[in-house]
Amino acid sequence: MNNWIEIDEAALAANFRALQAAAGDATEILPVIKSNAYGHGADACAAILARAGTRWLGVTCAAEGARVRKVLGESPIQILVMCGPLPEDAAILHEYCLTPTIWTPEHVAWLAANPMPVHVEIDTGMGRQGVRPGPDLAALLGKMAAANIVLDGIFTHFTSTEEFGSPLTQQQQARFEQTIAQIRDLGLKPKWVHAGNSSTVDNPAQPAPWLASLAATVGARAMVRPGIALYGYVLPIHGPGAPHVRPALKPVMTWKASVLSVNDLAPGDTVGYNATFTAPRPMSVALLPVGYADGLRRELSSTNERPGGWVMLHGQRAPILGRVSMNLTVVDVTAIPNVKPGDQAIVLGEGVTADDHARLARTISYEILCGIHPCG
């Protein structure tokens, strides 16, 4: 294999257990494996989490949910499809016993031929998916009742859970409390009330007990939906006086590439497109079969004036030289003895993290992980 990823089953299971412990006994964990488990492989992660004891999984779309259901076989694990359905999804949702997210009258109409339990998303301020509480929600619930569609769960998504004491989150909490009061006044009894992502578990300003208490008012169980934290990463909690109660988490993915060749450079030799790096002295370099087509960001390139990213070889840093190209990257192994073709370089893992890549690429670890798709 040219470059590939390896998944640490023990780390993923341990992260799941740590997040469940942080959420507390009164709150269920819904592990989010959408977008191919943030680049980790939804099939593999679903199987690992099933063995770890999860009762729920969250996926992007009906097609991804169908693939996961095939992996799980006869498992009773419930799969929440987190993006809204399209008309052609109705048959897939029904066939594979998936739980759709809905919020529009059109969703109800598309599912009416095969009524199934659904989760209704509430827009408390995210401005993407969701129905607004009040008359719009009442109208939707009325159409659901007429179509014999059961309200299994109700949820919202917060915009700013990584901000300690965020007034936006407080406003969203208040709107969600109003929503649950509306549900209670209508006499409805959903099984699940859920809100929040990894930072909801990580941020003491958004304690799980608030959600558990709210869910109890309608006889439901609370649930939170960690995603990135399952894979060993979290956004820092920030803001005045922000404590950090981050559970002990370990990155799950190791991304590796085999050394193709080892070459010598003479002073003045250049490396890569546009010759952005010139050897200032005799150097030894290794060629790796990995590049931006595989998800290694071009922003990790270097020049003589500006260092870039690095990989790990024989336990040492090997800096990237010149530009990361589509399928190939050159790294400096001058100070690393005995590097030879076939040796394994760690592109992401011990000694280099998605946070390191994100800092250099001026993005977030989510984008780095989701963008990894090795050639194999």
Side-chain angles (χ1 to χ4, degrees):
M1 291 186 289
N2 287 340
N3 74 91
W4 67 97
I5 64 170
E6 297 175 359
I7 300 301
D8 186 336
E9 176 170 353
L12 180 56
N15 290 346
F16 168 74
R17 290 190 293 268
L19 290 164
Q20 182 63 76
D25 292 340
T27 303
E28 190 91 8
I29 292 290
L30 185 154
V32 177
I33 60 168
K34 67 179 182 177
S35 299
N36 199 30
Y38 294 53
H40 290 68
D43 292 358
C45 291
I48 293 167
L49 290 163
R51 289 191 289 270
T54 190
R55 297 202 295 168
W56 278 91
L57 291 168
V59 300
T60 309
C61 60
E64 188 172 53
R67 290 194 298 271
V68 169
R69 179 63 76 198
K70 291 175 184 177
V71 169
L72 296 177
E74 299 300 318
S75 169
I77 290 173
Q78 293 175 271
I79 299 174
L80 177 67
V81 177
M82 301 179 73
C83 288
L86 292 169
E88 58 268 28
D89 294 329
I92 299 172
L93 293 165
H94 177 71
E95 179 180 358
Y96 291 97
C97 298
L98 307 175
T99 301
T101 292
I102 73 166
W103 67 92
T104 73
E106 289 80 9
H107 294 155
V108 174
W110 298 336
L111 301 178
N114 293 297
M116 63 192 75
V118 303
H119 285 211
V120 169
E121 182 164 359
I122 305 299
D123 181 9
T124 57
M126 192 72 175
R128 303 186 311 183
Q129 296 189 157
V131 61
R132 294 188 178 186
D136 290 349
L137 175 59
L140 179 71
L141 294 170
K143 290 183 180 297
M144 287 171 53
N148 295 315
I149 293 176
V150 174
L151 178 67
D152 185 65
I154 192 159
F155 72 100
T156 196
H157 191 60
F158 295 131
T159 71
S160 307
T161 50
E162 73 280 4
E163 297 177 18
F164 183 69
S166 166
L168 290 173
T169 303
Q170 293 171 5
Q171 184 181 66
Q172 286 190 269
Q173 284 181 292
R175 289 173 178 166
F176 197 49
E177 289 170 358
Q178 294 167 4
T179 300
I180 300 305
Q182 182 179 359
I183 293 293
R184 184 181 63 247
D185 292 344
L186 289 170
L188 297 174
K189 294 186 179 296
K191 294 180 181 178
W192 301 96
V193 170
H194 50 110
N197 54 11
S198 292
S199 293
T200 305
V201 180
D202 200 32
N203 184 346
Q206 315 301 333
W210 165 80
L211 189 60
S213 177
L214 184 62
T217 64
V218 288
R221 183 163 171 79
M223 191 157 59
V224 293
R225 307 181 303 269
I228 194 78
L230 283 166
Y231 311 107
Y233 293 92
V234 293
L235 294 179
I237 304 300
H238 57 85
H244 204 144
V245 293
R246 173 168 150 179
L249 303 171
K250 181 181 178 182
V252 169
M253 175 193 292
T254 302
W255 185 12
K256 296 181 179 180
S258 295
V259 173
L260 285 178
S261 64
V262 180
N263 304 305
D264 293 327
L265 298 180
D269 286 347
T270 61
V271 177
Y273 284 112
N274 302 111
T276 60
F277 182 86
T278 300
R281 60 188 181 281
M283 300 180 71
S284 180
V285 299
L287 181 63
L288 303 179
V290 61
Y292 58 76
D294 309 291
L296 184 63
R297 295 292 290 264
R298 198 165 180 264
E299 293 93 336
L300 274 65
S301 303
S302 74
T303 68
N304 290 80
E305 294 75 30
R306 180 180 56 78
W310 66 92
V311 304
M312 301 297 293
L313 262 165
H314 296 187
Q316 300 182 58
R317 284 192 180 192
I320 291 172
L321 299 181
R323 287 192 171 151
V324 173
S325 54
M326 186 179 293
N327 308 109
L328 298 167
T329 298
V330 175
V331 299
D332 181 5
V333 295
T334 307
I336 307 174
N338 302 318
V339 176
K340 61 186 182 302
D343 285 355
Q344 293 183 4
I346 296 178
V347 182
L348 198 72
E350 189 69 31
V352 53
T353 69
D355 289 329
D356 294 322
H357 283 209
R359 174 174 48 80
L360 292 165
R362 298 183 180 180
T363 184
I364 57 176
S365 55
Y366 292 73
E367 186 178 8
I368 297 299
L369 294 171
C370 289
I372 296 172
H373 34 80
C375 173

